[in-house]
Every structure is written in structure tokens, then in C-alpha cells.
mmCIF file of all heavy atoms in Angstrom:
data_model
loop_
_atom_site.group_PDB
_atom_site.id
_atom_site.type_symbol
_atom_site.label_atom_id
_atom_site.label_comp_id
_atom_site.label_asym_id
_atom_site.label_seq_id
_atom_site.Cartn_x
_atom_site.Cartn_y
_atom_site.Cartn_z
ATOM 1 N N GLN A 1 123.375 106.468 74.329
ATOM 2 C CA GLN A 1 123.096 105.244 75.089
ATOM 3 C C GLN A 1 123.322 105.463 76.603
ATOM 4 O O GLN A 1 122.582 104.996 77.463
ATOM 5 C CB GLN A 1 123.933 104.088 74.650
ATOM 6 C CG GLN A 1 123.595 103.597 73.212
ATOM 7 C CD GLN A 1 124.653 102.644 72.679
ATOM 8 O OE1 GLN A 1 125.252 101.918 73.426
ATOM 9 N NE2 GLN A 1 124.870 102.667 71.371
ATOM 10 N N VAL A 2 124.373 106.267 76.892
ATOM 11 C CA VAL A 2 124.717 106.547 78.308
ATOM 12 C C VAL A 2 123.689 107.486 78.955
ATOM 13 O O VAL A 2 123.266 107.244 80.084
ATOM 14 C CB VAL A 2 126.129 107.083 78.415
ATOM 15 C CG1 VAL A 2 126.444 107.608 79.797
ATOM 16 C CG2 VAL A 2 127.129 106.018 78.035
ATOM 17 N N LEU A 3 123.393 108.582 78.222
ATOM 18 C CA LEU A 3 122.509 109.609 78.842
ATOM 19 C C LEU A 3 121.037 109.234 78.713
ATOM 20 O O LEU A 3 120.239 109.696 79.543
ATOM 21 C CB LEU A 3 122.736 110.937 78.137
ATOM 22 C CG LEU A 3 124.163 111.555 78.261
ATOM 23 C CD1 LEU A 3 124.177 112.866 77.560
ATOM 24 C CD2 LEU A 3 124.590 111.695 79.714
ATOM 25 N N GLY A 4 120.712 108.475 77.758
ATOM 26 C CA GLY A 4 119.287 108.220 77.405
ATOM 27 C C GLY A 4 118.863 109.234 76.369
ATOM 28 O O GLY A 4 119.379 110.402 76.364
ATOM 29 N N ALA A 5 117.931 108.869 75.492
ATOM 30 C CA ALA A 5 117.578 109.733 74.405
ATOM 31 C C ALA A 5 117.052 111.088 74.826
ATOM 32 O O ALA A 5 117.384 112.184 74.292
ATOM 33 C CB ALA A 5 116.535 109.051 73.487
ATOM 34 N N SER A 6 116.204 111.158 75.904
ATOM 35 C CA SER A 6 115.623 112.363 76.340
ATOM 36 C C SER A 6 116.637 113.314 76.861
ATOM 37 O O SER A 6 116.645 114.516 76.551
ATOM 38 C CB SER A 6 114.532 112.043 77.413
ATOM 39 O OG SER A 6 113.981 113.245 77.882
ATOM 40 N N GLN A 7 117.505 112.853 77.764
ATOM 41 C CA GLN A 7 118.512 113.707 78.353
ATOM 42 C C GLN A 7 119.513 114.158 77.292
ATOM 43 O O GLN A 7 119.957 115.316 77.297
ATOM 44 C CB GLN A 7 119.246 113.002 79.453
ATOM 45 C CG GLN A 7 120.317 113.879 80.174
ATOM 46 C CD GLN A 7 121.021 113.183 81.305
ATOM 47 O OE1 GLN A 7 120.524 112.154 81.791
ATOM 48 N NE2 GLN A 7 122.153 113.692 81.697
ATOM 49 N N TYR A 8 119.801 113.284 76.337
ATOM 50 C CA TYR A 8 120.757 113.707 75.275
ATOM 51 C C TYR A 8 120.174 114.834 74.450
ATOM 52 O O TYR A 8 120.821 115.789 74.188
ATOM 53 C CB TYR A 8 121.123 112.518 74.392
ATOM 54 C CG TYR A 8 122.027 112.923 73.262
ATOM 55 C CD1 TYR A 8 123.410 112.889 73.398
ATOM 56 C CD2 TYR A 8 121.508 113.290 72.015
ATOM 57 C CE1 TYR A 8 124.236 113.310 72.403
ATOM 58 C CE2 TYR A 8 122.386 113.697 70.999
ATOM 59 C CZ TYR A 8 123.724 113.717 71.229
ATOM 60 O OH TYR A 8 124.563 114.096 70.183
ATOM 61 N N ARG A 9 118.921 114.687 74.076
ATOM 62 C CA ARG A 9 118.261 115.795 73.275
ATOM 63 C C ARG A 9 118.230 117.068 74.028
ATOM 64 O O ARG A 9 118.510 118.150 73.509
ATOM 65 C CB ARG A 9 116.820 115.387 72.906
ATOM 66 C CG ARG A 9 116.752 114.352 71.817
ATOM 67 C CD ARG A 9 115.326 114.255 71.243
ATOM 68 N NE ARG A 9 114.360 113.921 72.278
ATOM 69 C CZ ARG A 9 114.003 112.636 72.580
ATOM 70 N NH1 ARG A 9 114.545 111.629 71.907
ATOM 71 N NH2 ARG A 9 113.109 112.390 73.523
ATOM 72 N N ALA A 10 117.899 117.004 75.337
ATOM 73 C CA ALA A 10 117.888 118.247 76.142
ATOM 74 C C ALA A 10 119.298 118.893 76.216
ATOM 75 O O ALA A 10 119.391 120.126 76.096
ATOM 76 C CB ALA A 10 117.377 117.928 77.565
ATOM 77 N N GLU A 11 120.286 118.091 76.430
ATOM 78 C CA GLU A 11 121.620 118.623 76.521
ATOM 79 C C GLU A 11 122.130 119.196 75.221
ATOM 80 O O GLU A 11 122.767 120.253 75.188
ATOM 81 C CB GLU A 11 122.583 117.537 77.005
ATOM 82 C CG GLU A 11 123.913 118.062 77.531
ATOM 83 C CD GLU A 11 124.704 117.097 78.307
ATOM 84 O OE1 GLU A 11 124.184 116.580 79.353
ATOM 85 O OE2 GLU A 11 125.876 116.788 77.947
ATOM 86 N N ALA A 12 121.793 118.536 74.140
ATOM 87 C CA ALA A 12 122.216 118.997 72.817
ATOM 88 C C ALA A 12 121.468 120.281 72.381
ATOM 89 O O ALA A 12 122.008 121.011 71.538
ATOM 90 C CB ALA A 12 121.947 117.905 71.758
ATOM 91 N N ALA A 13 120.332 120.542 73.007
ATOM 92 C CA ALA A 13 119.546 121.680 72.617
ATOM 93 C C ALA A 13 119.891 122.943 73.474
ATOM 94 O O ALA A 13 119.430 124.026 73.180
ATOM 95 C CB ALA A 13 118.040 121.387 72.746
ATOM 96 N N SER A 14 120.718 122.731 74.507
ATOM 97 C CA SER A 14 120.960 123.873 75.446
ATOM 98 C C SER A 14 122.358 124.409 75.342
ATOM 99 O O SER A 14 123.306 123.662 75.118
ATOM 100 C CB SER A 14 120.692 123.360 76.859
ATOM 101 O OG SER A 14 121.025 124.371 77.788
ATOM 102 N N THR A 15 122.478 125.718 75.503
ATOM 103 C CA THR A 15 123.845 126.319 75.635
ATOM 104 C C THR A 15 123.980 127.068 76.983
ATOM 105 O O THR A 15 124.890 127.832 77.161
ATOM 106 C CB THR A 15 124.061 127.334 74.495
ATOM 107 O OG1 THR A 15 123.038 128.342 74.526
ATOM 108 C CG2 THR A 15 124.061 126.616 73.178
ATOM 109 N N VAL A 16 123.048 126.823 77.923
ATOM 110 C CA VAL A 16 123.113 127.432 79.226
ATOM 111 C C VAL A 16 124.133 126.700 80.079
ATOM 112 O O VAL A 16 124.148 125.461 80.163
ATOM 113 C CB VAL A 16 121.718 127.370 79.908
ATOM 114 C CG1 VAL A 16 121.783 127.958 81.327
ATOM 115 C CG2 VAL A 16 120.688 128.173 79.082
ATOM 116 N N ASN A 17 124.991 127.448 80.730
ATOM 117 C CA ASN A 17 125.976 126.874 81.620
ATOM 118 C C ASN A 17 125.270 126.217 82.809
ATOM 119 O O ASN A 17 124.607 126.923 83.567
ATOM 120 C CB ASN A 17 126.987 127.905 82.080
ATOM 121 C CG ASN A 17 128.172 127.328 82.800
ATOM 122 O OD1 ASN A 17 128.110 126.219 83.322
ATOM 123 N ND2 ASN A 17 129.260 128.079 82.857
ATOM 124 N N PRO A 18 125.360 124.884 82.954
ATOM 125 C CA PRO A 18 124.696 124.261 84.117
ATOM 126 C C PRO A 18 125.202 124.662 85.439
ATOM 127 O O PRO A 18 124.507 124.545 86.456
ATOM 128 C CB PRO A 18 125.002 122.752 83.850
ATOM 129 C CG PRO A 18 125.418 122.656 82.465
ATOM 130 C CD PRO A 18 126.108 123.957 82.150
ATOM 131 N N ALA A 19 126.395 125.255 85.491
ATOM 132 C CA ALA A 19 126.979 125.729 86.731
ATOM 133 C C ALA A 19 126.803 127.238 86.896
ATOM 134 O O ALA A 19 127.754 128.028 86.758
ATOM 135 C CB ALA A 19 128.456 125.353 86.805
ATOM 136 N N ALA A 20 125.581 127.652 87.183
ATOM 137 C CA ALA A 20 125.304 129.076 87.260
ATOM 138 C C ALA A 20 125.644 129.602 88.617
ATOM 139 O O ALA A 20 125.641 128.845 89.614
ATOM 140 C CB ALA A 20 123.806 129.328 86.986
ATOM 141 N N ILE A 21 125.955 130.867 88.701
ATOM 142 C CA ILE A 21 126.176 131.538 89.998
ATOM 143 C C ILE A 21 124.823 131.958 90.549
ATOM 144 O O ILE A 21 124.054 132.621 89.895
ATOM 145 C CB ILE A 21 127.069 132.781 89.888
ATOM 146 C CG1 ILE A 21 128.461 132.409 89.312
ATOM 147 C CG2 ILE A 21 127.224 133.512 91.184
ATOM 148 C CD1 ILE A 21 129.353 133.564 88.951
ATOM 149 N N THR A 22 124.501 131.491 91.773
ATOM 150 C CA THR A 22 123.237 131.771 92.355
ATOM 151 C C THR A 22 123.421 132.250 93.807
ATOM 152 O O THR A 22 124.526 132.239 94.320
ATOM 153 C CB THR A 22 122.292 130.512 92.336
ATOM 154 O OG1 THR A 22 122.958 129.495 93.080
ATOM 155 C CG2 THR A 22 122.058 130.032 90.949
ATOM 156 N N GLY A 23 122.305 132.654 94.437
ATOM 157 C CA GLY A 23 122.370 133.045 95.814
ATOM 158 C C GLY A 23 122.047 134.505 95.987
ATOM 159 O O GLY A 23 121.539 135.171 95.068
ATOM 160 N N THR A 24 122.319 135.023 97.187
ATOM 161 C CA THR A 24 122.009 136.387 97.500
ATOM 162 C C THR A 24 123.363 137.205 97.697
ATOM 163 O O THR A 24 124.232 136.767 98.449
ATOM 164 C CB THR A 24 121.178 136.530 98.776
ATOM 165 O OG1 THR A 24 119.934 135.841 98.584
ATOM 166 C CG2 THR A 24 120.857 137.951 99.134
ATOM 167 N N ASP A 25 123.376 138.362 97.047
ATOM 168 C CA ASP A 25 124.522 139.271 97.202
ATOM 169 C C ASP A 25 124.310 140.002 98.535
ATOM 170 O O ASP A 25 123.370 140.783 98.676
ATOM 171 C CB ASP A 25 124.529 140.224 96.038
ATOM 172 C CG ASP A 25 125.661 141.209 96.031
ATOM 173 O OD1 ASP A 25 126.021 141.704 97.133
ATOM 174 O OD2 ASP A 25 126.192 141.565 94.936
ATOM 175 N N THR A 26 125.178 139.757 99.492
ATOM 176 C CA THR A 26 125.012 140.347 100.853
ATOM 177 C C THR A 26 125.389 141.782 100.942
ATOM 178 O O THR A 26 124.911 142.489 101.850
ATOM 179 C CB THR A 26 125.820 139.525 101.877
ATOM 180 O OG1 THR A 26 127.191 139.591 101.524
ATOM 181 C CG2 THR A 26 125.380 138.107 101.949
ATOM 182 N N ALA A 27 126.141 142.322 99.973
ATOM 183 C CA ALA A 27 126.458 143.742 100.027
ATOM 184 C C ALA A 27 125.401 144.591 99.370
ATOM 185 O O ALA A 27 125.075 145.647 99.871
ATOM 186 C CB ALA A 27 127.815 143.951 99.280
#
């Protein structure tokens, strides 16, 4: 009810860490 059916299904189907390390390695 809080997330909504669509967002809940997407979250329940994923195991990807939403907090990924991104950007450019300067070295």
C-alpha cells in the first residue's frame, strides 16, 4: 500500500544494490 503495486513488484524482483558505486576512476 505504501510503495504501490508496481514499485513493490519491482523491488521484490530485484537483488541489485540501489546504492551502486559510480563515477570515473581518476587514477
Side-chain angles (χ1 to χ4, degrees):
Q1 292 169 32
V2 170
L3 298 182
S6 177
Q7 183 178 342
Y8 178 86
R9 285 196 300 270
E11 195 165 303
S14 175
T15 58
V16 176
N17 190 337
I21 299 174
T22 59
T24 299
D25 182 322
T26 57

